[in-house]
Amino acid sequence: MGETILILGGARSGKSRMAAKLAQGLPPVTYVATATVDQADPEMVTRIARHQTDRPAEWTTLEVPRELEGTLSSLAQREGSLVIDCATLWLTNLILGLGGGQELDNEAVLEKVRRAASALRGPGRVIWVSNEVGSGIVPMGVLTRRFVDLQGLVNQELAEHCDQVYLCVAGIPLRIKGSG
Amino acid sequence: MGETILILGGARSGKSRMAAKLAQGLPPVTYVATATVDQADPEMVTRIARHQTDRPAEWTTLEVPRELEGTLSSLAQREGSLVIDCATLWLTNLILGLGGGQELDNEAVLEKVRRAASALRGPGRVIWVSNEVGSGIVPMGVLTRRFVDLQGLVNQELAEHCDQVYLCVAGIPLRIKGSG
Amino acid sequence: MGETILILGGARSGKSRMAAKLAQGLPPVTYVATATVDQADPEMVTRIARHQTDRPAEWTTLEVPRELEGTLSSLAQREGSLVIDCATLWLTNLILGLGGGQELDNEAVLEKVRRAASALRGPGRVIWVSNEVGSGIVPMGVLTRRFVDLQGLVNQELAEHCDQVYLCVAGIPLRIKGSG
């Protein structure tokens, strides 16, 4: 049975780099991008394009803004490494109704997360990337507060399902669950 | 002499669950809730109600929005576990003048924290819960900046008084002070 | 060759106190303050004055809001400890055009950071202080998002150059890189 790994961290803390390093150690690499460009945000478009350029050419990329649990089920028997980057954008798509679907309520979101987290126990290595967003002030807006709460619950759910959890701080991965 | 424990973490990081687990290990449990409903915020009312439902029926609950140091002094000789959930809402009540008292200045707040933190060295286990709020951007408003600064100082004060300190990340408690 | 140390942490997490303690262990101490008062912000003026009062009288203080890399090069051969407090205000000065210079773009900022980080390998101890700002919600404004991203990259750059990295939480320094 392959190992499942969660990589947490704040903005620009080295999460994706850590995920890439772990994935390169067990090729071939399938990269599941949850980013969606349908919000027509030029900054996001630039960011997605930069991330695409940064990825090795031999990786297989799938763009899955919403139906992660189905995609992951269908990939469960593959060998190599699977990177899901990232749970935060997936959550954003689900609660804002982006990526070709409706806005979901909290229970529906968490049910999808549970199904996705447990879909993937196969021979390969699974690497989830997710953001720490709850260590600043409690935000003013109701939607943003809901997002912060849900992201915390999603991270707890993923951490419980994963064999190893890393917290990235300034590019340094700290192992906070599982042994080497 | 009982041990004193501080549990830190961001929003929905598993702090209260960790506190409950530690308290259940040494019954009976007294739970000091600092939440106040006098701000008539429906979201907060819902959250308090959910927390009340989540707590075991055999716990004794005290609602203490402001005068924690007196309550804790009076409880110092009790056996079992005492959970104070949480320092962040207590701080909010003190600086906003909620819970039946006036707005306090920084020195008055910190003096109350010092008195509360040192009031409680008795036979039982004391478990403080508090939020990490200072790892996001520096907020724009003067009051919010003051809150962030004070929360940092309150956490330092509590950490210094406590025998053990845990930082919760995605539901995983990391011990950052004291030994097992 | 002296050791280089990075101290990270959120607001009021005990970073400057940790820096002072490390510096006092290897005198004489040179303190490089990056704060600038040219923004005419009364809160910042008060904060800078308080920090000045807190510092030991025997420390040498240099105020360097922008040209850190030149200052650090010229200090590379000194003995004792050098504290740079802090990279966050330095970054703010560079991107906002404060402290007697223009607004710099991201590449220019990162080039200055790389030059400053590598300027200082001499006999003395070098202690950088910097803020964790990326673990809250993604901020709304374009400039603030840019600041958060750059601060993350700056911290990664400094962490890579430093022999030891500490993360301060509630006044507790956690060593996350290097050995004791």
Side-chain angles (χ1 to χ4, degrees):
Chain A
M1 192 73 113
E3 65 208 335
T4 54
I5 303 170
L6 171 63
I7 302 179
L8 293 169
R12 308 311 293 263
S13 61
K15 301 183 296 297
S16 292
R17 190 155 45 99
M18 174 68 182
K21 195 177 152 193
L22 287 170
Q24 299 280 36
L26 188 68
V29 178
T30 306
Y31 181 90
V32 178
T34 56
T36 167
V37 294
D38 71 355
Q39 50 227 100
D41 168 345
E43 190 182 325
M44 182 59 97
V45 172
T46 307
R47 192 177 281 230
I48 292 173
R50 193 189 60 216
H51 279 167
Q52 285 169 339
T53 312
D54 285 354
R55 287 197 291 274
E58 69 271 20
W59 289 17
T60 303
T61 296
L62 302 175
E63 295 184 5
V64 188
R66 293 180 65 96
E67 303 310 326
L68 258 187
E69 64 277 34
T71 304
L72 301 189
S73 285
S74 72
L75 293 169
Q77 292 313 311
R78 97 248 159 280
E79 310 273 329
S81 297
L82 186 113
V83 178
I84 302 147
D85 191 358
C86 64
T88 302
L89 287 175
W90 183 39
L91 172 60
T92 306
N93 293 340
L94 295 178
I95 66 179
L96 294 184
L98 301 174
Q102 296 192 309
E103 300 172 15
L104 299 187
D105 67 19
N106 290 11
E107 256 323 297
V109 168
L110 289 170
E111 182 54 28
K112 280 175 87 74
V113 173
R114 277 186 288 265
R115 294 218 314 274
S118 55
L120 255 177
R121 303 310 302 241
R125 179 178 291 168
V126 178
I127 304 160
W128 287 88
V129 176
S130 189
N131 279 65
E132 268 293 302
V133 302
S135 296
I137 50 161
V138 178
M140 295 282 287
V142 169
L143 179 62
T144 319
R145 267 206 302 275
R146 189 183 149 216
F147 169 70
V148 169
D149 274 2
L150 265 176
Q151 179 71 80
L153 295 174
V154 167
N155 287 349
Q156 286 193 47
E157 196 70 47
L158 292 174
E160 190 161 333
H161 276 85
C162 284
D163 306 312
Q164 296 173 22
V165 180
Y166 291 86
L167 175 66
C168 288
V169 178
I172 302 167
L174 310 172
R175 192 194 299 254
I176 63 174
K177 179 181 175 184
S179 54
Chain B
M1 192 72 112
E3 64 206 336
T4 54
I5 303 170
L6 171 63
I7 303 179
L8 293 170
R12 308 312 293 263
S13 61
K15 300 183 297 297
S16 292
R17 189 154 47 97
M18 174 69 182
K21 195 178 152 193
L22 288 170
Q24 300 280 36
L26 189 69
V29 178
T30 306
Y31 181 90
V32 178
T34 57
T36 167
V37 294
D38 71 355
Q39 51 226 99
D41 167 346
E43 189 182 323
M44 183 59 99
V45 171
T46 307
R47 192 177 281 231
I48 292 172
R50 192 189 62 215
H51 279 166
Q52 284 170 339
T53 312
D54 285 353
R55 286 198 291 273
E58 69 271 21
W59 289 17
T60 303
T61 296
L62 303 173
E63 295 184 6
V64 188
R66 292 181 64 97
E67 303 309 326
L68 258 188
E69 64 277 33
T71 305
L72 300 189
S73 285
S74 73
L75 294 170
Q77 293 313 309
R78 99 252 159 276
E79 309 274 329
S81 297
L82 186 114
V83 177
I84 303 146
D85 191 357
C86 64
T88 303
L89 287 175
W90 184 38
L91 172 60
T92 306
N93 293 339
L94 296 178
I95 66 180
L96 293 183
L98 301 174
Q102 297 192 308
E103 299 172 17
L104 299 187
D105 66 20
N106 290 10
E107 256 324 298
V109 168
L110 289 170
E111 182 55 29
K112 280 176 88 74
V113 173
R114 276 186 288 265
R115 293 218 314 273
S118 56
L120 255 177
R121 303 310 303 241
R125 179 179 291 169
V126 178
I127 304 160
W128 288 88
V129 176
S130 189
N131 279 65
E132 268 292 303
V133 301
S135 296
I137 49 160
V138 177
M140 295 283 287
V142 168
L143 179 62
T144 319
R145 266 206 303 274
R146 187 183 151 216
F147 169 71
V148 169
D149 274 2
L150 265 177
Q151 178 71 81
L153 295 173
V154 167
N155 287 349
Q156 286 193 46
E157 196 71 48
L158 292 174
E160 188 161 334
H161 276 84
C162 284
D163 305 312
Q164 296 173 21
V165 181
Y166 291 87
L167 175 67
C168 288
V169 177
I172 302 167
L174 310 172
R175 191 193 300 254
I176 63 175
K177 179 181 174 184
S179 53
Chain C
M1 191 74 113
E3 64 207 336
T4 54
I5 303 170
L6 171 63
I7 303 179
L8 292 170
R12 310 311 293 262
S13 61
K15 300 183 298 297
S16 292
R17 190 153 48 96
M18 174 68 182
K21 195 178 152 193
L22 288 170
Q24 300 279 36
L26 189 69
V29 178
T30 306
Y31 181 89
V32 178
T34 57
T36 167
V37 294
D38 71 356
Q39 49 227 100
D41 167 348
E43 190 183 323
M44 183 58 98
V45 171
T46 307
R47 192 176 279 230
I48 292 173
R50 193 190 60 215
H51 279 166
Q52 284 169 339
T53 312
D54 285 354
R55 287 198 291 274
E58 69 271 21
W59 288 17
T60 304
T61 296
L62 304 174
E63 296 184 6
V64 187
R66 292 181 64 95
E67 303 309 327
L68 259 187
E69 64 278 35
T71 304
L72 300 189
S73 285
S74 72
L75 294 169
Q77 292 314 309
R78 98 251 159 276
E79 309 273 329
S81 296
L82 186 114
V83 177
I84 303 146
D85 191 358
C86 64
T88 303
L89 287 175
W90 184 39
L91 173 59
T92 306
N93 293 339
L94 296 178
I95 67 180
L96 293 183
L98 301 173
Q102 297 191 309
E103 299 172 17
L104 299 188
D105 66 21
N106 291 10
E107 256 323 296
V109 168
L110 289 170
E111 181 55 28
K112 279 176 88 75
V113 172
R114 277 186 287 265
R115 293 219 313 273
S118 56
L120 255 177
R121 303 310 302 242
R125 179 178 291 170
V126 178
I127 304 159
W128 287 89
V129 176
S130 190
N131 279 65
E132 268 292 302
V133 302
S135 296
I137 49 160
V138 177
M140 295 283 287
V142 168
L143 179 62
T144 319
R145 267 206 303 274
R146 189 184 150 214
F147 169 71
V148 169
D149 274 2
L150 264 177
Q151 178 71 80
L153 295 173
V154 167
N155 287 349
Q156 287 193 46
E157 196 71 48
L158 292 174
E160 188 161 335
H161 277 85
C162 284
D163 305 313
Q164 297 173 22
V165 180
Y166 291 87
L167 175 67
C168 288
V169 178
I172 302 166
L174 311 172
R175 191 193 299 254
I176 62 174
K177 180 181 174 184
S179 54

